[in-house]
């Protein structure tokens, strides 16, 4: 045997031992811990695919946001709550994508502000009694992770596929919800105490509404950017509009009103210029809205029954929650109560669903005070401006209205801290920027 052959066998020995030990571990786990064995094998397969075809794993990761995993499984795994573990897992799976595509820090401003918020938390914030260092670190990781998706330098063709997948997410949630209903794991419909019936798919109605919001707003922009794919985006627009109305969630519908009005104005303007074929989408849009309102009229009445405030506006308890959190933050208005403090501020006075105030401006004012919340808002506006400059003129009005809708929506829901909104939102902004350059 030559020295070369002997060296080759010696080099291969550690890999062979590793395979034998892995097989022994999995064989033992199958007998004593079958659940652990299934998880281990799944992770190995995902790791292998992520290394060999990183773009495929990016599609898989994006599709997982169509399912609210924390509402399907309330427990913990490996000592971590399921949502935190999910966020860590998707970051780990995307590491090969980052290594292959690289990172561009042009849109990194919100990430640096999150670092500044940690500094403010440990240096200047006045903590609540129940606030701890682990809560601050956990909040930093959870809130910062979606902003990493602004940095990945996707290839243009991959970015275009990501945009189409984001539009498909509400439909994927619907299909997954039907399968979960058939398996008796999760209810496809949510029936409220008022008798209102709301579609929730593989989520809760509010999270499905967030996916549908993205699935409606994005096609408006993409129809102008990619006229050759107009048929696909018009289909997604119609489907996601019905899904959004079916969730019975009013916040995103109200947020999209300006975009819808501009769309009708734009279509009518094109028709009056002699482009008669624009009459078809105009009529179809009116029929779509009429059908949706007719189908949901009864639910709208039920959800508003005996819940309207003295001002005539139904806020579903948000007014009380906003007042509660603002009063709690009053002792530290400039530097807040610390990153993540808002999640432990509800002492039981409010309905347990208000873990955070359903208003992102109040949420980050509570955590970071005037300084932290203003810095975060400025960083987001900087990102929005950079993307606006990269867009072609026809898409710019719709993009501005999309951002306006996001800012309006943030007054009534947790847009920056809910996986089903912030991950697709950041992912789309990045893809829009990369594919427009």
């Amino acid at each position: 045997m030559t020295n070369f052959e002997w060296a080759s066998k010696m080099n291969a020995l550690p890999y062979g031992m590793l395979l034998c030990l892995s097989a022994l571990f999995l064989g033992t786990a199958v007998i004593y811990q079958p659940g652990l064995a299934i998880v281990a094998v799944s992770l190995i397969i995902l790791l292998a695919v992520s290394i060999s075809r990183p773009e495929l794993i990016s599609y898989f990761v994006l599709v997982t946001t169509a399912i609210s995993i924390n509402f399907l499984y309330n427990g913990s795994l490996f000592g971590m709550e399921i949502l935190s573990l999910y966020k860590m897992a998707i970051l780990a799976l995307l590491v090969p994508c980052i290594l292959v595509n690289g990172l561009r820090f042009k849109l990194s401003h919100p990430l640096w502000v999150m670092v500044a918020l940690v500094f403010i938390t440990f240096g200047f914030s006045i903590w609540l009694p129940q606030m701890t260092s682990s809560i601050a670190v956990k909040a930093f990781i959870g809130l910062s992770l979606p902003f990493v998706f602004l940095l990945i330098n996707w290839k243009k063709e991959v970015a275009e596929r990501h945009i189409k997948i984001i539009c498909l997410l509400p439909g994927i949630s619907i299909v997954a919800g039907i399968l979960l209903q058939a398996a008796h794991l999760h209810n496809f419909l949510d029936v409220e105490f008022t008798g209102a019936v709301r579609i929730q798919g593989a989520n809760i109605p509010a999270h499905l509404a967030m996916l549908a919001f993205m699935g409606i707003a994005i096609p408006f922009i993409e129809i102008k950017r990619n006229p050759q794919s107009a048929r696909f985006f018009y289909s997604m627009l119609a489907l996601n509009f019905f899904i959004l109305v079916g969730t019975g969630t009013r916040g995103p519908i109200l947020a999209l009103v300006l975009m819808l009005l501009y769309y009708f104005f734009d279509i009518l303007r094109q028709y009056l210029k002699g482009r008669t074929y624009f009459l078809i989408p105009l009529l179809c849009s009116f029929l779509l809205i009429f059908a949706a309102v007719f189908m949901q009229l009864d639910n709208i009445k039920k959800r508003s029954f005996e819940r309207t405030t003295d001002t005539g506006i139904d806020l579903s308890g948000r007014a009380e929650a906003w007042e509660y959190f603002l009063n709690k933050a009053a002792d530290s208005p400039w530097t807040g109560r610390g990153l993540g403090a808002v999640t432990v501020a509800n002492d039981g006075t409010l309905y347990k669903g208000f873990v955070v105030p359903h208003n992102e401006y109040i949420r980050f004012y509570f955590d970071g005070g005037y300084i932290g919340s203003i810095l975060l808002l400025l960083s987001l506006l900087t990102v929005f401006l950079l993307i606006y400059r990269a867009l072609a003129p026809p898409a710019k009005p719709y993009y501005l209205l999309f951002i306006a809708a996001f800012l309006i929506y943030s007054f009534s829901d947790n847009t920056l801290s809910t996986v089903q909104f912030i991950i697709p939102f950041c992912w789309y902004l990045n893809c829009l920027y990369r594919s427009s350059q």
Side-chain angles (χ1 to χ4, degrees), residues 59 62-63 160-169 172:
Y59 305 148
L62 188 53
V63 166
E160 295 290 350
R161 292 192 198 104
H162 285 157
I163 290 172
K164 290 184 177 180
I165 291 173
I166 294 172
C167 294
L168 289 167
L169 291 178
I172 293 171

Side-chain angles (χ1 to χ4, degrees), residues 98-115:
I98 294 171
L99 294 175
V100 170
N101 296 281
L103 297 176
R104 296 289 180 87
F105 290 88
K106 189 81 171 179
L107 306 179
S108 63
H109 306 80
L111 205 54
W112 299 121
V113 169
M114 295 307 300
V115 174

Side-chain angles (χ1 to χ4, degrees), residues 13 26-27 93 112 116 126 171 173 199 245 254 259 296 298 325 346 364 380 391 413-414 429 434:
L13 184 61
L26 290 174
L93 288 172
W112 299 121
I126 300 175
S173 176
I199 298 173
V245 173
L254 294 174
M259 183 175 274
Q296 285 293 311
D298 184 56
F325 284 103
N346 188 352
F364 284 96
L380 290 171
L391 292 176
D413 225 322
N414 312 315
L429 291 179
R434 307 299 173 194

Side-chain angles (χ1 to χ4, degrees), residues 108-120 140 144 339 371-380:
S108 63
H109 306 80
L111 205 54
W112 299 121
V113 169
M114 295 307 300
V115 174
L117 278 171
V118 172
F119 176 74
I120 292 171
F140 168 72
S144 300
L339 196 60
I371 295 173
S373 56
I374 290 173
L375 283 175
L376 182 60
L377 182 59
L378 289 176
S379 70
L380 290 171

